[in-house]
Amino acid sequence: MEERISKLPIVAADEWLQPVEEEINRRYDMYIRRLSDIEKSAGSIIDYANGYKYFGWQRDDTMQGWWFREWLPAAKDVYIFGDFNNWQRTELRLQRGRDGVWSIFMPDGMYAARLVDGSLYKLHIHGDNGWHDRIPAYAKRVVQDDTTKNFSAQFIVDKHYEWRNDDFRAPKVGELVIYEAHVGMAQEREGVGTYVEFRDTILPRIKEAGYNAVQLMAVAEHPYYGSFGYHVSSLFAPSSRFGTPDELRSLIDRAHELGIAVIMDLVHAHYVKNFNEGINELDGSKHHYSKEGEAGYQKYWDSMVFDYGKREVEHFLLSNVKYWLEEYHFDGYRFDGVTSMLYHHRGYVEFDSRERFFDEGVDRDAIVYLTLANKLIHDLRSDAITIAEDVSGMPGSCAKPEEGGMGFDYRLGMAIPDYWIKLLKEKSDEEWNIWEMWSVMTNRLPSVRTVAYAESHDQALVGDKTIAFRLMDKEMYFSMDRASESLIIDRGMALHKLIRLMTITTGGEAYLNFMGNEFGHPEWIDFPREGNGWSYKHARRQWSLAENGFLRYSYLAEFDKAMVNMVRKYGVLGDGYPYNHMMDENNKTMVYSHTDLLFVLNWHPTASIPDYELCVPWPGKYTILFSTDEKRFGGLNRADVLGEHFTTTHKREDGTEYYTIKMYNTSRTGVVFKWEK
């Protein structure tokens, strides 16, 4: 059991935090006390997080039957019913035990004999809100009736899945390149994609594109498909609209076979307020998994917020964290909505002062929960990946718990896509400031490992625009064939590549791309709804556009593949900050390096300069790995990429030497040089 030393490392290392040391110590002490209590009661946090092995249906071979348990402290009466007892609501009564846990034992024979794999069931609960048929919180599978559209829990007999790739390990820090995906809309046909389709057709594409991790959205069950999976109703049930639990396991197993880590988009920031499908007021009270009133409601998302300080809720959520790692072999989590968790005001303020991170607006219980979750995850799997979606930049989020932090491995660099879209919307090309661009891309603390991304999945939704669509708009529908000539398309493709190249090489220690954006997918995402006639036309990805040899989408896909392979081969993401060698404001050209690579990015809309002299870090020979202007990437092919560039040595007034090379510096072009030692 670790104890706090006189000054926590995150405070000792950062003078800016020293005025708030008392508050940081308070949070740390809360975490230590809670962890100590957990370890005293359960032995370890890993053994504590076993709720899914106790609640719900549990086989008892000694007594030869099935236990069912549910935590419903405010309930007055509870029954279980289903197709195994002809849906008789008040026939099988549960008994209330200590701490509000209701249970029933069903011996083999009679009802249990009819309780078979696939049986449907619900709870009939009497509480302060009356009698209601509800789905248990620990249900491991929930299905929707095609006719009535009602959801029911489904009894599943856990057969032992034979994992074939148990020795897989997730990418280390500095190696992570993530392909964000949604199983249901990953296929090209109109309809809902499946785990099997994703396993067989999408994973090979991700592998071929060079990515070593896939981040899956919408895994946990959610009643409304168009919520993108963020209004979760059943936290322990993989969405049945995509297939069976074992089909999800086979997807993850296949990904590991291909060398791809699988990160789950974990939604613990809130849960759906729907009464019939979710856990809201499950025991009849208004303070079951949430606090009562405004404190338990996320008004900006119209959903419910967990009460992170309640021990049973903490146990439920930590058990959920362990469940997906153990039962499905996920390699980690991207924690959704962390900003909403951390603050009582849900983050809807300006984070313009230090006090915002340490005043009464901060939810200390949420900080303790997230720290415990990271402790659990990394104790269970040392190679597991955790990513915080936090726009506020809470200090210490990526520091280890024993250092006074929350323990995340990475934080999403959410300011980066916001910056690119703002730049494209508000300024002409001539107004782009390369110093401002550099500052935004590199504005992070060394201790905060950042996942950089050029655009978010939200920008692909109806009502917003992806970078490609904002650059090229309706021209994409008419001028993306290779025979067409269009200045709009030429500009759009050039900037699409440049933005991505700068983001991945300067923005962080990991990189993320949303599926289809790498090749400039032209269609927005619009899930089936009443307003579009319940159409799936825009809830899919048109891979054939990038595979069609007559269209320019394939050029963007080829560039993305070359770019990803380059950063992985040369360890760019693990090299820390880029080193800035030169900033030419007049010609909007920046020169920086990573490892043995030199990057020259010319953002100028027109200035192409022969014999352009630029500073380089090392003497010797430089060869071009690739240029965004190459024909194979849909460029204009204005410069020779096969030539060798030798340095010229110069002397400064103080006698020190510096080195330059000359190149044809073409407009809207990024060139990557390799220094030959």
Side-chain angles (χ1 to χ4, degrees):
M1 185 71 235
E2 62 254 54
E3 294 182 2
R4 177 161 57 87
I5 57 178
S6 57
K7 191 179 288 289
L8 288 167
I10 65 167
V11 176
D14 191 346
E15 290 185 2
W16 190 77
L17 293 178
Q18 291 178 10
V20 291
E21 180 178 9
E22 183 178 351
E23 173 61 19
I24 292 174
N25 288 342
R26 183 181 292 112
R27 298 174 187 180
Y28 179 78
D29 289 342
M30 285 177 65
Y31 158 69
I32 287 297
R33 284 195 301 271
R34 184 63 197 130
L35 181 60
S36 178
D37 290 343
I38 287 171
E39 292 176 339
K40 286 176 183 176
S41 65
S44 72
I45 193 168
I46 292 175
D47 293 325
Y48 173 70
N50 282 336
Y52 64 95
K53 297 180 180 180
Y54 179 77
F55 291 102
W57 291 105
Q58 303 296 336
R59 179 67 187 174
D60 190 327
D61 288 328
T62 302
M63 296 180 63
Q64 295 187 314
W66 291 91
W67 283 99
F68 180 87
R69 302 181 186 93
E70 188 80 10
W71 174 62
L72 302 163
K76 301 173 182 178
D77 219 352
V78 182
Y79 294 86
I80 192 165
F81 68 109
D83 55 14
F84 56 89
N85 79 329
N86 297 317
W87 297 100
Q88 296 300 307
R89 283 186 172 84
T90 56
E91 189 174 26
L92 298 170
R93 188 178 191 177
L94 278 66
Q95 298 299 313
R96 181 187 174 96
R98 63 189 184 94
D99 300 326
V101 175
W102 293 74
S103 65
I104 187 172
F105 180 73
M106 295 174 58
D108 292 344
M110 200 174 174
Y111 298 115
R114 285 179 263 161
L115 189 64
V116 298
D117 198 29
S119 291
L120 302 179
Y121 69 96
K122 287 187 176 182
L123 295 177
H124 190 49
I125 302 172
H126 183 207
D128 290 340
N129 55 9
W131 285 96
H132 295 283
D133 299 339
R134 304 298 301 269
I135 294 171
Y138 279 89
K140 294 180 180 178
R141 183 164 167 81
V142 176
V143 295
Q144 186 176 25
D145 186 276
D146 291 336
T147 303
T148 66
K149 302 303 179 184
N150 292 328
F151 287 84
S152 298
Q154 188 174 52
F155 177 80
I156 54 173
V157 178
D158 286 328
K159 308 175 188 71
H160 181 68
Y161 182 86
E162 294 292 336
W163 293 94
R164 297 173 298 164
N165 299 281
D166 260 348
D167 58 346
F168 177 81
R169 291 294 175 267
K172 297 177 182 177
V173 171
E175 298 177 353
L176 188 62
V177 190
I178 307 169
Y179 200 85
E180 185 181 23
H182 183 289
V183 169
M185 52 169 281
Q187 80 301 326
E188 183 144 1
R189 63 176 176 82
E190 294 186 27
V192 178
T194 68
Y195 298 126
V196 171
E197 285 178 301
F198 195 93
R199 178 195 69 198
D200 294 344
T201 64
I202 309 304
L203 284 178
R205 285 190 170 101
I206 296 171
K207 172 70 173 178
E208 174 65 20
Y211 291 81
N212 58 15
V214 58
Q215 181 175 296
L216 289 184
M217 308 170 68
V219 174
E221 192 60 81
H222 46 289
Y224 179 46
Y225 188 45
S227 75
F228 236 177
Y230 290 122
H231 277 199
V232 173
S233 52
S234 297
L235 278 77
F236 288 84
S239 180
S240 60
R241 57 171 59 85
F242 307 140
T244 68
D246 274 354
E247 286 170 346
L248 173 58
R249 289 184 176 98
S250 72
L251 182 164
I252 296 169
D253 209 11
R254 174 61 174 152
H256 291 168
E257 185 180 358
L258 294 172
I260 299 171
V262 187
I263 300 167
M264 178 178 171
D265 215 335
L266 189 71
V267 186
H268 282 185
H270 61 134
Y271 59 94
V272 72
K273 74 173 187 179
N274 295 33
F275 194 78
N276 292 325
E277 297 90 357
I279 61 175
N280 187 22
E281 296 186 32
L282 188 61
D283 70 345
S285 74
K286 296 184 181 298
H287 51 80
H288 188 192
Y289 284 94
S290 297
K291 293 179 180 178
E292 193 166 357
E294 186 178 329
Y297 178 62
Q298 224 295 12
K299 63 181 181 180
Y300 303 100
W301 300 344
D302 192 26
S303 55
M304 307 305 297
V305 180
F306 287 104
D307 182 355
Y308 302 104
K310 188 180 285 188
R311 297 298 174 239
E312 294 86 351
V313 175
E314 170 201 85
H315 183 243
F316 175 77
L317 293 174
L318 289 176
S319 297
N320 190 243
V321 166
K322 182 179 176 182
Y323 171 75
W324 294 107
L325 293 176
E326 287 280 274
E327 298 297 314
Y328 288 90
H329 288 206
F330 278 96
D331 300 296
Y333 301 108
R334 177 260 203 187
F335 278 74
D336 174 68
V338 167
T339 308
S340 177
M341 298 173 73
L342 292 176
Y343 305 95
H344 298 299
H345 49 64
R346 308 304 163 207
Y348 286 81
V349 297
E350 290 294 326
F351 290 93
D352 51 5
S353 68
R354 176 173 43 221
E355 285 63 41
R356 288 292 193 189
F357 303 105
F358 301 100
D359 60 18
E360 67 280 356
V362 177
D363 189 337
R364 292 175 185 152
D365 290 330
I367 291 177
V368 171
Y369 165 67
L370 288 169
T371 311
L372 289 169
N374 276 298
K375 166 75 172 171
L376 168 63
I377 292 164
H378 294 110
D379 279 3
L380 194 62
R381 272 191 59 180
S382 60
D383 65 313
I385 299 161
T386 60
I387 304 167
E389 190 210 22
D390 173 31
V391 70
S392 74
M394 171 63 80
S397 62
C398 289
K400 294 179 180 179
E402 58 268 26
E403 296 173 352
M406 281 188 278
F408 284 101
D409 297 304
Y410 299 92
R411 171 179 168 254
L412 278 180
M414 300 172 73
I416 297 174
D418 289 347
Y419 174 74
W420 287 127
I421 215 70
K422 180 180 174 66
L423 196 63
L424 290 168
K425 284 171 65 175
E426 298 180 1
K427 293 187 178 180
S428 67
D429 297 4
E430 291 77 11
E431 295 176 302
W432 288 19
N433 184 316
I434 60 172
W435 277 111
E436 180 185 74
M437 294 159 68
W438 181 266
S439 175
V440 171
M441 293 301 115
T442 59
N443 183 22
R444 60 186 184 277
L445 293 171
S447 59
V448 181
R449 291 178 292 275
T450 300
V451 178
Y453 58 122
E455 55 193 322
S456 73
H457 57 241
D458 291 332
Q459 290 168 226
L461 293 169
V462 169
D464 207 338
K465 293 181 179 181
T466 62
I467 286 176
F469 207 65
R470 193 167 292 281
L471 285 167
M472 297 177 276
D473 211 73
K474 64 180 183 296
E475 282 289 311
M476 297 187 77
Y477 296 118
F478 309 109
S479 305
M480 283 298 278
D481 63 283
R482 297 186 181 187
S484 293
E485 294 184 3
S486 167
L487 292 176
I488 292 175
I489 296 297
D490 288 345
R491 169 187 177 265
M493 290 188 61
L495 290 177
H496 195 270
K497 290 177 285 187
L498 267 179
I499 287 170
R500 280 173 150 66
L501 181 60
M502 184 175 185
T503 300
I504 199 171
T505 56
T506 66
E509 291 73 32
Y511 178 73
L512 178 142
N513 167 71
F514 179 65
M515 63 176 183
N517 283 355
E518 73 278 10
F519 63 83
H521 198 291
E523 296 288 4
W524 56 83
I525 298 165
D526 189 14
F527 285 98
R529 54 186 172 84
E530 189 175 1
N532 64 16
W534 302 104
S535 170
Y536 287 89
K537 180 177 174 58
H538 295 294
R540 60 195 181 107
R541 298 281 88 178
Q542 298 183 61
W543 306 101
S544 59
L545 295 174
E547 295 162 356
N548 185 322
F550 299 102
L551 299 176
R552 300 193 197 194
Y553 297 102
S554 59
Y555 290 143
L556 295 178
E558 281 301 310
F559 168 75
D560 193 79
K561 179 180 176 181
M563 179 184 74
V564 167
N565 287 334
M566 176 268 296
V567 299
R568 289 187 61 187
K569 180 178 180 180
Y570 293 99
V572 170
L573 293 170
D575 190 47
Y577 290 97
Y579 191 93
N580 192 320
H581 298 284
M582 177 177 155
M583 297 288 268
D584 178 354
E585 295 180 74
N586 289 333
N587 295 303
K588 296 191 183 301
T589 296
M590 54 179 63
V591 182
Y592 57 92
S593 65
H594 265 301
T595 63
D596 295 338
L597 303 184
L598 187 75
F599 299 85
V600 183
L601 274 59
N602 179 343
W603 296 89
H604 202 285
T606 57
S608 296
I609 310 153
D611 292 328
Y612 183 81
E613 189 172 39
L614 56 104
C615 296
V616 297
W618 315 285
K621 182 175 73 173
Y622 289 77
T623 57
I624 295 177
L625 283 181
F626 68 77
S627 162
T628 61
D629 197 44
E630 289 182 60
K631 188 174 182 180
R632 62 181 173 137
F633 302 142
L636 303 176
N637 216 37
R638 290 169 289 176
D640 176 23
V641 296
L642 299 178
E644 298 175 335
H645 300 257
F646 292 90
T647 56
T648 300
T649 303
H650 307 267
K651 281 197 174 182
R652 300 183 180 91
E653 290 183 2
D654 62 2
T656 59
E657 295 182 340
Y658 67 97
Y659 316 101
T660 62
I661 60 172
K662 290 184 178 180
M663 63 174 292
Y664 183 19
N665 185 20
T666 56
S667 61
R668 290 187 181 133
T669 300
V671 180
V672 182
F673 288 92
K674 172 73 169 64
W675 175 52
E676 305 294 341
K677 293 183 181 179

